[in-house]
């Protein structure tokens, strides 16, 4: 019996924990601690502990499948490639669209955006960051010049005051929750702002239980109190920022007094005052947020509000300060970095700047798609549904929009309008079932590569076993398909490392990285522009990334969500995750140990709301919005604010995204998952 340990990086949330895959007789059979990894120091959450269980699931895709007469039949790779190449060549430019993935490696995301732009000549390339942190990229880039988390994870433990808002960190990013506990043990105050009293909220010193969608009002009130009490950092404002007076003019309005904001948010005025004092006076305050901030029609406004308050208090560029935008998926940061977005090439180099387009054409040795912003995933789905024939061909890698996107009936309508669709994945997902061709891919344990965590740390995957059957690494599929389409010269790679070397050449923030440098457990945080650069755990130490080095304040008025409660839909619905499941459940629901803990979804209802509805705990109810309805079990709990209900979105049998609103943030085009109007009905005879 041959046994070995292969160090790698977790394929679940964006924390980037390291662990060893236990390999016996060339098969992954378990996970064991990797104590030298600095992110988690050998500790893991339940998902990490059981990250091996889906790898050898019996229903892994093992052969290419082609749909004939409505049913999938097995095919050879050559047959599948020939069909795809023949079909792809029929479509011109913007008639095609590609969706990359926050779950595959940097190398594979880089190749997909290269394939879209160089082979298909389409600007339509995007991925699910559009559904989670597009607001962060736009908002923080507007304020600071860089759209990423400003600090390191370890740095959180140095904070003296933590504002945790729009993130249930203990369930979504448990090993970052560990750093919150370390800060608390050192005396830090923890403020938790959320409509639910989650496990994260239960350790907080103060819980601000506010209505979903009232974040800007709360931040503006904090800033008013900070200014009225002289807690702002005058030197930081004067030397490192501009447009402060514009924000001051807005936040000092009577609209944002504690009394008025209490009415908007539902938080007692005295608690708002206490929170502002703790935050404003600590001298070392950090903000942690996730999709509770970003997934709104005002997502960019919410993110810019976090930037405003941190510049006002000077809480940037030092240990224990900053804005920790916590990424939900293992490589959503990397997919953005690699240019799997409609508006940028790798390294956030704009597609509308002619010199950037020329740079890529020179590097790739061919003409590429027109230098224009393509369709985002949200706008693509709308176009597919509302303008049949405008986009005829879709290529999806490792994404499952049939569960992850808002208003699922609308998504299904759009995908069924596609003339030809290819899905590349490890399982037959709800989206793959609608495809014309399904290609079997390798998972994280079956290939080399890199992923980039929420703290911009670029870490390695290391191959531990061969893929099942005839499945192949995504990067290998792109190279072989490109060859069939006449682009072998542009895709000559024989290894993931060769692809990474090209990434480093064309991506300034990765310019000094190599596989050799990433071999050490601590790896490197970008920007890392040169081979002797140590990487950058903390951004904006001396200046911001804008050309003049200054941070930009943005005046923001509070606006309600796109859909607010009324007599027909009297409650606010919000969505999120639980600790046992992840995203659309494709991997976690194939893990026996995780599925056992939370095998189906639920809707949390406040006892007062449940009493008014005549609904008992564990009773099946019907949840109805303007977009659809589902039947789901009720959890009656004081942990949810009166007037608000919550659902996890992992479960296809009671899919929360049947109900959610696809209204978009006007700048970032992110949907409003976190606030819509809903009614809960008793099921007659139940």
């Amino acid at each position: 019996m041959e046994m070995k340990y292969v160090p790698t990086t977790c394929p679940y949330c964006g924390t980037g924990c390291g662990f060893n895959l236990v390999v016996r007789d060339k098969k992954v059979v378990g996970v064991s601690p990797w104590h030298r990894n600095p992110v988690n120091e050998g500790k893991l959450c339940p998902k990490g502990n059981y990250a091996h269980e889906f790898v050898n699931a019996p229903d892994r895709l093992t052969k290419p499948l082609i749909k004939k007469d409505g049913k999938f039949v097995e095919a050879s790779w050559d047959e599948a490639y020939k069909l795809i190449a023949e079909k792809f060549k029929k479509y011109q430019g913007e008639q095609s669209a590609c969706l990359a993935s926050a779950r595959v490696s940097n190398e594979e995301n880089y190749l997909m955006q290269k394939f879209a732009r160089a082979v298909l000549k389409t600007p339509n390339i995007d991925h699910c960051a559009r559904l989670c942190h597009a607001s962060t990229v736009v908002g923080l880039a507007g304020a600071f010049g860089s759209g990423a988390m400003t600090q390191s994870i370890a740095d959180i433990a140095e904070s003296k005051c933590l504002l945790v808002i729009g993130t249930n960190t203990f369930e979504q990013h448990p090993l970052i929750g560990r750093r919150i506990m370390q800060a608390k043990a050192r005396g830090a105050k923890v403020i938790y702002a959320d409509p639910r009293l989650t496990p994260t909220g239960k350790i907080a010193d103060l819980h601000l239980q506010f209505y979903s969608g009232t974040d800007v009002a709360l931040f503006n009130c904090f800033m008013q109190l900070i200014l009225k009490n002289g807690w702002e950092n005058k030197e930081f404002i004067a030397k490192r920022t501009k447009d402060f007076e514009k924000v001051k003019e807005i936040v000092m309005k009577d609209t944002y007094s504690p009394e008025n904001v209490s009415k908007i948010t539902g938080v007692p005025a005295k608690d708002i005052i206490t929170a502002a004092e703790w935050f404003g006076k600590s001298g070392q305050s950090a903000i942690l947020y996730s999709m509770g901030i970003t997934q709104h029609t005002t997502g960019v406004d919410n993110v810019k509000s976090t930037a405003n308050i941190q510049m006002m208090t000077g809480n940037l560029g030092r240990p224990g300060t900053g804005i920790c935008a916590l990424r939900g998926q293992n490589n959503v940061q990397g997919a953005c970095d690699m240019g799997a977005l409609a508006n940028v090439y790798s390294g956030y180099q704009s597609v509308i700047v002619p010199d950037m387009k020329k740079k890529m054409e020179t590097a790739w040795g061919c003409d590429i798609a027109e230098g224009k912003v393509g369709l985002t995933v949200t706008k693509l789905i709308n176009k597919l549904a509302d303008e049949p024939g405008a986009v005829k061909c879709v290529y999806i890698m490792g994404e499952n929009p049939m569960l992850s996107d808002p208003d699922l009936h609308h998504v299904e309508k759009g995908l069924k309008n596609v003339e030809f669709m290819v899905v590349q994945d490890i399982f037959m997902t709800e989206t793959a079932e609608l495809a014309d061709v399904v290609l079997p891919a390798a998972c994280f344990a079956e290939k080399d590569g890199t992923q980039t965590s929420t703290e911009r740390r670029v870490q390695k995957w290391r191959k531990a076993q061969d893929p099942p059957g005839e499945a192949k690494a995504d990067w290998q599929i792109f190279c072989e398909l490109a060859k069939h389409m006449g682009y072998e010269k542009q895709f000559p790679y024989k290894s993931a490392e060769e692809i990474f070397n090209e990434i480093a050449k064309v991506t300034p923030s990765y310019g000094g990285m190599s596989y050799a440098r990433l071999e050490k457990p601590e790896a490197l945080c970008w920007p890392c522009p040169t081979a002797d650069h140590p990487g950058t755990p903390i951004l904006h130490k001396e200046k911001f990334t804008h050309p003049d080095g200054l941070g930009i304040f943005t005046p923001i008025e509070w606006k309600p969500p796109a859909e607010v409660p009324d007599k027909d839909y009297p409650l606010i619905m919000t969505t999120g995750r639980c600790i046992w499941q992840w995203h659309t459940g494709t991997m976690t629901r194939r893990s026996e140990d995780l599925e056992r803990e939370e095998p189906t979804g639920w809707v949390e209802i406040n006892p007062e709301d449940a009493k008014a509805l005549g609904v008992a705990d564990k009773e099946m109810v019907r949840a109805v919005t303007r977009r659809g309805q589902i039947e789901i079990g009720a959890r009656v709990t004081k942990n949810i604010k009166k007037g608000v209900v919550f659902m996890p979105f992992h479960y296809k049998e009671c899919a929360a995204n049947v109900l959610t609103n696809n209204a978009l943030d006007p700048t970032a085009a992110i949907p409003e998952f976190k606030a819509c109007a809903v009614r809960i009905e008793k099921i007659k005879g139940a």
Side-chain angles (χ1 to χ4, degrees):
M1 182 177 71
E2 182 196 359
M3 214 151 161
K4 65 177 179 178
Y5 294 89
V6 180
T8 194
T9 311
C10 185
Y12 284 118
C13 82
T15 305
C17 296
F19 54 66
N20 286 302
L21 285 170
V22 182
V23 183
R24 185 171 62 221
D25 295 333
K26 299 182 179 179
K27 285 287 182 187
V28 170
V29 295
V31 162
S32 74
W34 182 18
H35 295 286
R36 289 177 59 213
N37 188 286
V39 178
N40 56 310
E41 297 170 325
K43 296 169 176 61
L44 290 170
C45 80
K47 286 189 283 289
N49 272 317
Y50 299 115
H52 64 287
E53 288 192 337
F54 73 87
V55 172
N56 291 305
D59 60 340
R60 280 288 301 276
L61 293 170
T62 58
K63 289 192 174 184
L65 302 171
I66 294 174
K67 193 173 278 179
K68 295 179 179 177
D69 300 321
K71 291 187 177 179
F72 284 114
V73 296
E74 291 182 355
S76 68
W77 276 103
D78 198 52
E79 187 183 353
Y81 285 146
K82 281 179 178 172
L83 174 63
I84 295 168
E86 176 190 318
K87 292 284 190 180
F88 279 3
K89 285 175 182 177
K90 283 173 50 182
Y91 304 110
Q92 303 300 311
E94 293 178 64
Q95 292 181 321
S96 300
C98 294
L99 295 181
S101 175
R103 287 178 282 289
V104 306
S105 69
N106 287 321
E107 293 79 359
E108 290 159 334
N109 278 298
Y110 176 81
L111 282 203
M112 185 169 221
Q113 64 92 24
K114 180 174 178 177
F115 186 90
R117 289 169 168 138
V119 180
L120 300 181
K121 313 295 185 192
T122 181
N124 300 329
I125 168 73
D126 207 40
H127 79 289
C128 69
R130 191 67 52 194
L131 306 175
C132 58
H133 272 283
S135 322
T136 292
V137 175
V138 173
L140 293 187
F144 304 148
S146 168
M149 178 168 161
T150 68
Q151 308 297 121
S152 73
I153 292 168
D155 217 38
I156 293 166
E158 306 294 320
S159 296
K160 294 179 180 174
C161 180
L162 290 163
L163 173 58
V164 183
I165 180 168
T167 165
N168 178 11
T169 317
F170 280 35
E171 294 199 71
Q172 294 165 345
H173 303 92
L175 272 297
I176 295 178
R178 174 174 173 252
R179 301 297 184 179
I180 295 174
M181 292 305 295
Q182 289 174 344
K184 187 175 169 68
R186 295 171 183 174
K189 293 286 190 187
V190 179
I191 304 160
Y192 186 66
D194 197 278
R196 304 168 66 217
L197 182 60
T198 64
T200 314
K202 288 174 181 176
I203 65 92
D205 299 287
L206 181 62
H207 179 207
L208 307 180
Q209 194 167 33
F210 71 125
Y211 292 118
S212 186
T214 61
D215 311 75
V216 167
L218 189 65
F219 278 117
N220 281 357
C221 185
F222 283 169
M223 287 186 275
Q224 182 183 112
L225 290 164
I226 286 165
L227 292 173
K228 279 187 173 178
N229 288 283
W231 298 327
E232 75 273 25
N233 188 324
K234 295 180 179 67
E235 183 182 0
F236 190 96
I237 294 166
K239 289 184 177 178
R240 295 201 50 191
T241 72
K242 60 186 178 185
D243 295 341
F244 166 68
E245 292 298 329
K246 293 178 182 177
V247 166
K248 183 176 180 180
E249 186 180 339
I250 295 289
V251 303
M252 296 309 288
K253 290 181 178 180
D254 190 51
T255 310
Y256 302 114
S257 69
E259 295 72 28
N260 286 331
V261 169
S262 177
K263 292 171 189 169
I264 295 169
T265 61
V267 178
K270 65 178 178 57
D271 290 345
I272 299 174
I273 292 166
T274 299
E277 181 175 2
W278 288 355
F279 193 89
K281 289 173 72 175
S282 89
Q284 215 161 304
S285 295
I287 295 174
L288 279 68
Y289 75 75
S290 192
M291 285 168 274
I293 284 281
T294 60
Q295 288 179 332
H296 293 270
T297 49
T298 55
V300 172
D301 287 352
N302 294 343
V303 170
K304 286 189 172 180
S305 293
T306 69
N308 284 343
I309 195 169
Q310 289 300 65
M311 288 189 289
M312 184 178 287
T313 53
N315 279 306
L316 288 157
R318 294 178 287 116
T321 66
I323 296 175
C324 303
L326 307 180
R327 302 293 193 150
Q329 297 187 52
N330 58 309
N331 202 29
V332 69
Q333 181 66 59
C336 293
D337 297 346
M338 293 302 104
L341 292 169
N343 61 325
V344 291
Y345 305 117
S346 66
Y348 308 95
Q349 299 170 98
S350 175
V351 297
I352 61 172
V353 175
D355 283 353
M356 298 300 173
K357 179 173 182 282
K358 188 177 178 183
K359 173 183 174 178
M360 292 302 168
E361 287 181 330
T362 302
W364 295 345
C366 65
D367 293 334
I368 65 173
E370 185 183 349
K372 63 180 287 188
V373 177
L375 291 171
T376 63
V377 59
T378 41
K379 291 180 179 177
L380 169 65
I381 295 296
N382 287 343
K383 191 171 271 287
L384 292 174
D386 303 335
E387 299 176 45
V391 177
K392 300 174 185 291
C393 162
V394 177
Y395 187 1
I396 299 175
M397 168 178 63
E399 288 290 321
N400 190 13
M402 276 301 298
L403 264 187
S404 63
D405 289 31
D407 191 359
L408 290 180
H409 293 315
H410 185 71
V411 176
E412 184 175 15
K413 178 185 174 185
L415 293 180
K416 284 184 173 178
N417 281 340
V418 176
E419 278 187 17
F420 184 70
M421 185 162 83
V422 177
V423 171
Q424 192 166 300
D425 216 313
I426 61 174
F427 293 109
M428 180 61 76
T429 64
E430 292 73 20
T431 303
E433 288 169 3
L434 301 179
D436 297 287
V437 180
V438 176
L439 301 177
C443 78
F444 83 108
E446 297 155 354
K447 56 190 175 185
D448 294 322
T450 60
Q451 70 177 45
T452 306
S453 74
T454 192
E455 62 177 345
R456 297 167 283 105
R457 191 183 297 269
V458 183
Q459 298 171 285
K460 290 184 77 171
W461 287 345
R462 295 170 180 87
K463 183 176 177 179
Q465 69 168 42
D466 288 331
E470 296 176 21
K472 299 183 179 190
D474 295 276
W475 68 264
Q476 189 180 350
I477 296 171
F478 287 125
C479 292
E480 292 172 358
L481 183 54
K483 181 179 180 180
H484 275 78
M485 294 190 69
Y487 284 84
E488 185 176 8
K489 278 187 179 178
Q490 283 74 25
F491 289 77
Y493 318 102
K494 298 290 185 273
S495 68
E497 184 173 8
E498 287 184 13
I499 304 165
F500 191 85
N501 292 340
E502 180 174 312
I503 292 167
K505 283 178 186 172
V506 299
T507 313
S509 54
Y510 283 61
M513 295 187 190
S514 64
Y515 268 31
R517 292 194 73 194
L518 297 177
E519 192 59 36
K520 56 190 179 183
E522 58 270 26
L524 291 163
C525 294
W526 69 254
C528 178
T530 59
D532 58 354
H533 194 283
T536 314
I538 300 178
L539 297 178
H540 318 308
K541 282 186 174 181
E542 304 296 331
K543 60 183 182 178
F544 293 102
T545 315
H546 289 302
D548 62 5
L550 299 178
I552 302 171
F553 278 97
T554 307
I556 298 164
E557 295 275 16
W558 172 70
K559 296 185 282 288
E563 190 177 79
V564 295
D566 57 23
K567 62 181 176 55
D568 295 321
Y569 303 94
L571 301 170
I572 302 168
M573 176 183 141
T574 190
T575 65
R577 306 178 184 211
C578 71
I579 192 169
W580 306 102
Q581 300 287 4
W582 187 69
H583 209 55
T584 63
T586 306
M587 299 185 321
T588 49
R589 300 199 73 184
R590 287 172 169 85
S591 168
E592 183 181 335
D593 286 282
L594 297 173
E595 179 73 354
R596 185 190 308 121
E597 298 292 337
E598 287 289 10
T600 193
W602 68 91
V603 55
E604 288 182 11
I605 308 174
N606 181 275
E608 290 183 50
D609 292 324
K611 186 177 179 183
L613 292 162
V615 168
D617 189 40
K618 297 182 181 172
E619 179 179 341
M620 289 298 289
V621 297
R622 185 177 295 111
V624 186
T625 70
R626 290 176 174 87
R627 291 152 296 280
Q629 60 183 47
I630 61 171
E631 293 186 1
I632 190 168
R635 281 191 188 173
V636 179
T637 172
K638 293 177 181 175
N639 291 341
I640 187 90
K641 188 172 182 65
K642 183 177 182 291
V644 182
V645 299
F646 165 86
M647 291 181 206
F649 66 89
H650 314 290
Y651 302 94
K652 64 181 179 181
E653 66 273 18
C654 47
N657 282 328
V658 166
L659 309 174
T660 47
N661 193 359
N662 68 351
L664 304 180
D665 180 290
T667 313
I670 194 169
E672 190 142 61
F673 288 105
K674 289 297 184 275
C676 71
V678 66
R679 72 171 176 265
I680 304 296
E681 300 174 347
K682 278 184 74 73
I683 298 173
K684 289 176 183 173

